[in-house]
mmCIF file of all heavy atoms in Angstrom:
data_model
loop_
_atom_site.group_PDB
_atom_site.id
_atom_site.type_symbol
_atom_site.label_atom_id
_atom_site.label_comp_id
_atom_site.label_asym_id
_atom_site.label_seq_id
_atom_site.Cartn_x
_atom_site.Cartn_y
_atom_site.Cartn_z
ATOM 1 N N ARG U 260 -80.660 250.267 49.380
ATOM 2 C CA ARG U 260 -81.383 249.223 50.115
ATOM 3 C C ARG U 260 -81.720 249.692 51.522
ATOM 4 O O ARG U 260 -82.826 249.495 52.012
ATOM 5 C CB ARG U 260 -80.545 247.947 50.183
ATOM 6 C CG ARG U 260 -80.661 247.034 48.968
ATOM 7 C CD ARG U 260 -79.748 245.835 49.119
ATOM 8 N NE ARG U 260 -79.967 245.135 50.370
ATOM 9 C CZ ARG U 260 -79.044 244.397 51.006
ATOM 10 N NH1 ARG U 260 -77.818 244.290 50.496
ATOM 11 N NH2 ARG U 260 -79.347 243.786 52.127
ATOM 12 N N LEU U 261 -80.748 250.337 52.175
ATOM 13 C CA LEU U 261 -80.981 250.832 53.537
ATOM 14 C C LEU U 261 -82.031 251.939 53.530
ATOM 15 O O LEU U 261 -82.900 251.986 54.414
ATOM 16 C CB LEU U 261 -79.683 251.336 54.159
ATOM 17 C CG LEU U 261 -79.795 251.831 55.611
ATOM 18 C CD1 LEU U 261 -80.321 250.730 56.537
ATOM 19 C CD2 LEU U 261 -78.439 252.338 56.110
ATOM 20 N N GLY U 263 -84.479 252.200 51.474
ATOM 21 C CA GLY U 263 -85.756 251.512 51.321
ATOM 22 C C GLY U 263 -86.241 250.905 52.622
ATOM 23 O O GLY U 263 -87.437 250.969 52.953
ATOM 24 N N MET U 264 -85.320 250.323 53.408
ATOM 25 C CA MET U 264 -85.685 249.745 54.697
ATOM 26 C C MET U 264 -86.151 250.821 55.680
ATOM 27 O O MET U 264 -87.147 250.651 56.381
ATOM 28 C CB MET U 264 -84.503 248.973 55.266
ATOM 29 C CG MET U 264 -84.222 247.664 54.530
ATOM 30 S SD MET U 264 -82.574 246.980 54.897
ATOM 31 C CE MET U 264 -82.607 246.896 56.688
ATOM 32 N N MET U 265 -85.426 251.930 55.719
ATOM 33 C CA MET U 265 -85.804 253.011 56.637
ATOM 34 C C MET U 265 -87.126 253.633 56.227
ATOM 35 O O MET U 265 -87.906 254.092 57.073
ATOM 36 C CB MET U 265 -84.679 254.047 56.710
ATOM 37 C CG MET U 265 -83.414 253.493 57.353
ATOM 38 S SD MET U 265 -81.969 254.590 57.303
ATOM 39 C CE MET U 265 -82.289 255.665 58.695
ATOM 40 N N ASN U 266 -87.414 253.646 54.931
ATOM 41 C CA ASN U 266 -88.716 254.138 54.470
ATOM 42 C C ASN U 266 -89.851 253.202 54.872
ATOM 43 O O ASN U 266 -91.008 253.632 54.982
ATOM 44 C CB ASN U 266 -88.701 254.326 52.955
ATOM 45 C CG ASN U 266 -88.061 255.637 52.526
ATOM 46 O OD1 ASN U 266 -88.030 256.598 53.286
ATOM 47 N ND2 ASN U 266 -87.539 255.673 51.312
ATOM 48 N N GLN U 267 -89.543 251.933 55.098
ATOM 49 C CA GLN U 267 -90.568 251.004 55.562
ATOM 50 C C GLN U 267 -90.996 251.294 56.997
ATOM 51 O O GLN U 267 -92.036 250.824 57.440
ATOM 52 C CB GLN U 267 -90.063 249.562 55.469
ATOM 53 C CG GLN U 267 -89.907 249.027 54.063
ATOM 54 C CD GLN U 267 -89.401 247.602 54.057
ATOM 55 O OE1 GLN U 267 -89.893 246.736 54.786
ATOM 56 N NE2 GLN U 267 -88.394 247.342 53.234
ATOM 57 N N MET U 268 -90.195 252.072 57.718
ATOM 58 C CA MET U 268 -90.479 252.364 59.117
ATOM 59 C C MET U 268 -91.435 253.545 59.277
ATOM 60 O O MET U 268 -91.773 253.928 60.404
ATOM 61 C CB MET U 268 -89.172 252.676 59.866
ATOM 62 C CG MET U 268 -88.062 251.656 59.663
ATOM 63 S SD MET U 268 -88.557 249.956 60.019
ATOM 64 C CE MET U 268 -88.860 250.041 61.772
ATOM 65 N N ILE U 291 -70.981 250.139 59.528
ATOM 66 C CA ILE U 291 -72.302 250.489 60.052
ATOM 67 C C ILE U 291 -73.371 250.215 59.007
ATOM 68 O O ILE U 291 -74.464 249.721 59.329
ATOM 69 C CB ILE U 291 -72.323 251.960 60.521
ATOM 70 C CG1 ILE U 291 -71.430 252.124 61.752
ATOM 71 C CG2 ILE U 291 -73.749 252.413 60.827
ATOM 72 C CD1 ILE U 291 -71.345 253.522 62.293
ATOM 73 N N LEU U 292 -73.087 250.517 57.752
ATOM 74 C CA LEU U 292 -74.035 250.228 56.681
ATOM 75 C C LEU U 292 -74.359 248.733 56.639
ATOM 76 O O LEU U 292 -75.538 248.341 56.626
ATOM 77 C CB LEU U 292 -73.450 250.681 55.340
ATOM 78 C CG LEU U 292 -74.248 250.327 54.085
ATOM 79 C CD1 LEU U 292 -75.653 250.934 54.123
ATOM 80 C CD2 LEU U 292 -73.509 250.786 52.827
ATOM 81 N N ASN U 293 -73.339 247.874 56.648
ATOM 82 C CA ASN U 293 -73.568 246.434 56.590
ATOM 83 C C ASN U 293 -74.320 245.938 57.824
ATOM 84 O O ASN U 293 -75.198 245.060 57.732
ATOM 85 C CB ASN U 293 -72.239 245.686 56.472
ATOM 86 C CG ASN U 293 -71.616 245.855 55.099
ATOM 87 O OD1 ASN U 293 -72.314 246.112 54.113
ATOM 88 N ND2 ASN U 293 -70.298 245.727 55.014
ATOM 89 N N TYR U 294 -73.992 246.512 58.969
ATOM 90 C CA TYR U 294 -74.656 246.097 60.204
ATOM 91 C C TYR U 294 -76.143 246.449 60.178
ATOM 92 O O TYR U 294 -77.001 245.615 60.482
ATOM 93 C CB TYR U 294 -73.974 246.763 61.406
ATOM 94 C CG TYR U 294 -74.588 246.358 62.727
ATOM 95 C CD1 TYR U 294 -74.329 245.115 63.284
ATOM 96 C CD2 TYR U 294 -75.439 247.228 63.406
ATOM 97 C CE1 TYR U 294 -74.903 244.738 64.492
ATOM 98 C CE2 TYR U 294 -76.009 246.859 64.617
ATOM 99 C CZ TYR U 294 -75.741 245.608 65.154
ATOM 100 O OH TYR U 294 -76.323 245.240 66.341
ATOM 101 N N LEU U 295 -76.457 247.666 59.786
ATOM 102 C CA LEU U 295 -77.863 248.087 59.764
ATOM 103 C C LEU U 295 -78.663 247.298 58.730
ATOM 104 O O LEU U 295 -79.852 247.015 58.936
ATOM 105 C CB LEU U 295 -77.961 249.589 59.501
ATOM 106 C CG LEU U 295 -77.398 250.497 60.604
ATOM 107 C CD1 LEU U 295 -77.496 251.961 60.194
ATOM 108 C CD2 LEU U 295 -78.103 250.275 61.936
ATOM 109 N N LEU U 296 -78.036 246.941 57.629
ATOM 110 C CA LEU U 296 -78.727 246.116 56.640
ATOM 111 C C LEU U 296 -79.096 244.763 57.235
ATOM 112 O O LEU U 296 -80.165 244.211 56.936
ATOM 113 C CB LEU U 296 -77.850 245.923 55.397
ATOM 114 C CG LEU U 296 -77.718 247.140 54.469
ATOM 115 C CD1 LEU U 296 -76.651 246.885 53.403
ATOM 116 C CD2 LEU U 296 -79.052 247.486 53.808
ATOM 117 N N ARG U 297 -78.228 244.216 58.099
ATOM 118 C CA ARG U 297 -78.526 242.938 58.733
ATOM 119 C C ARG U 297 -79.554 243.086 59.855
ATOM 120 O O ARG U 297 -80.291 242.152 60.147
ATOM 121 C CB ARG U 297 -77.231 242.326 59.293
ATOM 122 C CG ARG U 297 -76.333 241.702 58.234
ATOM 123 C CD ARG U 297 -76.901 240.392 57.700
ATOM 124 N NE ARG U 297 -77.148 239.412 58.747
ATOM 125 C CZ ARG U 297 -76.246 238.569 59.243
ATOM 126 N NH1 ARG U 297 -75.002 238.577 58.746
ATOM 127 N NH2 ARG U 297 -76.556 237.725 60.197
ATOM 128 N N VAL U 298 -79.591 244.247 60.478
ATOM 129 C CA VAL U 298 -80.586 244.488 61.544
ATOM 130 C C VAL U 298 -81.996 244.346 61.006
ATOM 131 O O VAL U 298 -82.887 243.792 61.647
ATOM 132 C CB VAL U 298 -80.369 245.890 62.170
ATOM 133 C CG1 VAL U 298 -81.589 246.309 63.004
ATOM 134 C CG2 VAL U 298 -79.117 245.897 63.026
ATOM 135 N N GLY U 299 -82.229 244.894 59.789
ATOM 136 C CA GLY U 299 -83.546 244.766 59.178
ATOM 137 C C GLY U 299 -84.572 245.718 59.761
ATOM 138 O O GLY U 299 -84.237 246.699 60.430
ATOM 139 N N THR U 300 -85.835 245.403 59.543
ATOM 140 C CA THR U 300 -86.917 246.326 59.892
ATOM 141 C C THR U 300 -87.730 245.866 61.104
ATOM 142 O O THR U 300 -88.794 246.407 61.369
ATOM 143 C CB THR U 300 -87.862 246.506 58.696
ATOM 144 O OG1 THR U 300 -88.340 245.226 58.271
ATOM 145 C CG2 THR U 300 -87.149 247.187 57.531
ATOM 146 N N THR U 301 -87.231 244.877 61.836
ATOM 147 C CA THR U 301 -87.936 244.432 63.037
ATOM 148 C C THR U 301 -87.221 244.945 64.278
ATOM 149 O O THR U 301 -86.061 245.369 64.219
ATOM 150 C CB THR U 301 -88.021 242.894 63.086
ATOM 151 O OG1 THR U 301 -86.684 242.351 63.027
ATOM 152 C CG2 THR U 301 -88.835 242.362 61.918
ATOM 153 N N GLY U 302 -87.883 244.889 65.400
ATOM 154 C CA GLY U 302 -87.298 245.337 66.654
ATOM 155 C C GLY U 302 -86.407 244.257 67.262
ATOM 156 O O GLY U 302 -86.640 243.064 67.085
ATOM 157 N N HIS U 303 -85.372 244.703 67.978
ATOM 158 C CA HIS U 303 -84.423 243.779 68.612
ATOM 159 C C HIS U 303 -84.073 244.299 69.997
ATOM 160 O O HIS U 303 -83.994 245.504 70.222
ATOM 161 C CB HIS U 303 -83.119 243.686 67.811
ATOM 162 C CG HIS U 303 -83.288 243.234 66.400
ATOM 163 N ND1 HIS U 303 -83.233 241.915 66.027
ATOM 164 C CD2 HIS U 303 -83.512 243.938 65.262
ATOM 165 C CE1 HIS U 303 -83.406 241.815 64.717
ATOM 166 N NE2 HIS U 303 -83.579 243.030 64.228
ATOM 167 N N LEU U 308 -78.892 242.489 69.480
ATOM 168 C CA LEU U 308 -78.102 243.323 68.574
ATOM 169 C C LEU U 308 -76.605 243.087 68.785
ATOM 170 O O LEU U 308 -75.827 243.074 67.824
ATOM 171 C CB LEU U 308 -78.455 244.789 68.784
ATOM 172 C CG LEU U 308 -79.852 245.195 68.300
ATOM 173 C CD1 LEU U 308 -80.241 246.565 68.845
ATOM 174 C CD2 LEU U 308 -79.920 245.202 66.775
ATOM 175 N N LEU U 311 -75.688 239.786 67.151
ATOM 176 C CA LEU U 311 -75.558 239.954 65.703
ATOM 177 C C LEU U 311 -74.194 240.543 65.364
ATOM 178 O O LEU U 311 -73.517 240.098 64.416
ATOM 179 C CB LEU U 311 -76.673 240.862 65.175
ATOM 180 C CG LEU U 311 -76.582 241.268 63.694
ATOM 181 C CD1 LEU U 311 -76.652 240.038 62.793
ATOM 182 C CD2 LEU U 311 -77.685 242.269 63.339
ATOM 183 N N MET U 315 -71.289 238.806 62.999
ATOM 184 C CA MET U 315 -70.761 239.471 61.801
ATOM 185 C C MET U 315 -69.256 239.703 61.916
ATOM 186 O O MET U 315 -68.517 239.613 60.929
ATOM 187 C CB MET U 315 -71.498 240.797 61.579
ATOM 188 C CG MET U 315 -72.971 240.644 61.223
ATOM 189 S SD MET U 315 -73.783 242.241 60.939
ATOM 190 C CE MET U 315 -73.004 242.755 59.392
ATOM 191 N N PHE U 339 -79.195 256.252 64.361
ATOM 192 C CA PHE U 339 -79.594 255.350 63.285
ATOM 193 C C PHE U 339 -80.715 254.413 63.733
ATOM 194 O O PHE U 339 -81.486 253.911 62.920
ATOM 195 C CB PHE U 339 -78.406 254.509 62.810
ATOM 196 C CG PHE U 339 -77.327 255.302 62.139
ATOM 197 C CD1 PHE U 339 -76.027 255.274 62.610
ATOM 198 C CD2 PHE U 339 -77.607 256.080 61.022
ATOM 199 C CE1 PHE U 339 -75.023 255.999 61.977
ATOM 200 C CE2 PHE U 339 -76.615 256.810 60.380
ATOM 201 C CZ PHE U 339 -75.330 256.765 60.868
ATOM 202 N N MET U 340 -80.774 254.159 65.048
ATOM 203 C CA MET U 340 -81.827 253.339 65.620
ATOM 204 C C MET U 340 -82.483 254.089 66.769
ATOM 205 O O MET U 340 -81.863 254.953 67.394
ATOM 206 C CB MET U 340 -81.267 251.993 66.117
ATOM 207 C CG MET U 340 -80.632 251.147 65.028
ATOM 208 S SD MET U 340 -80.111 249.513 65.608
ATOM 209 C CE MET U 340 -81.731 248.728 65.821
ATOM 210 N N VAL U 341 -83.749 253.764 67.016
ATOM 211 C CA VAL U 341 -84.506 254.425 68.081
ATOM 212 C C VAL U 341 -85.251 253.367 68.882
ATOM 213 O O VAL U 341 -85.466 252.246 68.396
ATOM 214 C CB VAL U 341 -85.513 255.449 67.503
ATOM 215 C CG1 VAL U 341 -84.802 256.589 66.811
ATOM 216 C CG2 VAL U 341 -86.500 254.770 66.558
ATOM 217 N N CYS U 343 -88.194 251.183 70.201
ATOM 218 C CA CYS U 343 -89.489 250.836 69.618
ATOM 219 C C CYS U 343 -90.600 251.526 70.398
ATOM 220 O O CYS U 343 -90.460 251.837 71.586
ATOM 221 C CB CYS U 343 -89.714 249.325 69.653
ATOM 222 S SG CYS U 343 -88.591 248.385 68.616
ATOM 223 N N TYR U 350 -85.142 247.977 70.120
ATOM 224 C CA TYR U 350 -84.763 249.071 69.229
ATOM 225 C C TYR U 350 -85.047 248.678 67.788
ATOM 226 O O TYR U 350 -85.061 247.507 67.427
ATOM 227 C CB TYR U 350 -83.268 249.386 69.398
ATOM 228 C CG TYR U 350 -82.908 249.859 70.778
ATOM 229 C CD1 TYR U 350 -82.676 248.936 71.797
ATOM 230 C CD2 TYR U 350 -82.818 251.210 71.068
ATOM 231 C CE1 TYR U 350 -82.348 249.364 73.078
ATOM 232 C CE2 TYR U 350 -82.495 251.646 72.338
ATOM 233 C CZ TYR U 350 -82.266 250.715 73.344
ATOM 234 O OH TYR U 350 -81.953 251.152 74.603
ATOM 235 N N GLU U 351 -85.268 249.700 66.956
ATOM 236 C CA GLU U 351 -85.540 249.472 65.544
ATOM 237 C C GLU U 351 -84.875 250.572 64.714
ATOM 238 O O GLU U 351 -84.460 251.605 65.250
ATOM 239 C CB GLU U 351 -87.052 249.469 65.279
ATOM 240 C CG GLU U 351 -87.730 250.787 65.581
ATOM 241 C CD GLU U 351 -89.242 250.718 65.481
ATOM 242 O OE1 GLU U 351 -89.784 249.609 65.306
ATOM 243 O OE2 GLU U 351 -89.890 251.791 65.588
ATOM 244 N N LEU U 352 -84.781 250.338 63.411
ATOM 245 C CA LEU U 352 -84.254 251.368 62.513
ATOM 246 C C LEU U 352 -85.073 252.646 62.632
ATOM 247 O O LEU U 352 -86.310 252.595 62.745
ATOM 248 C CB LEU U 352 -84.323 250.888 61.067
ATOM 249 C CG LEU U 352 -83.195 250.031 60.506
ATOM 250 C CD1 LEU U 352 -83.506 249.689 59.059
ATOM 251 C CD2 LEU U 352 -81.844 250.724 60.617
ATOM 252 N N ALA U 353 -84.402 253.771 62.575
ATOM 253 C CA ALA U 353 -85.106 255.049 62.508
ATOM 254 C C ALA U 353 -85.618 255.261 61.083
ATOM 255 O O ALA U 353 -85.104 254.674 60.131
ATOM 256 C CB ALA U 353 -84.178 256.189 62.898
ATOM 257 N N SER U 354 -86.632 256.088 60.945
ATOM 258 C CA SER U 354 -86.991 256.592 59.614
ATOM 259 C C SER U 354 -85.939 257.631 59.232
ATOM 260 O O SER U 354 -85.076 257.990 60.040
ATOM 261 C CB SER U 354 -88.387 257.200 59.631
ATOM 262 O OG SER U 354 -88.462 258.233 60.602
#
Side-chain angles (χ1 to χ4, degrees):
R260 276 178 53 206
L261 182 58
M264 288 164 54
M265 294 173 82
N266 279 335
Q267 290 180 47
M268 310 307 294
I291 292 179
L292 174 60
N293 288 335
Y294 181 76
L295 294 177
L296 286 171
R297 283 287 304 275
V298 165
T300 56
T301 57
H303 301 269
L308 290 166
L311 173 62
M315 293 181 69
F339 293 123
M340 299 185 72
V341 295
C343 294
Y350 297 83
E351 63 187 7
L352 275 180
S354 57

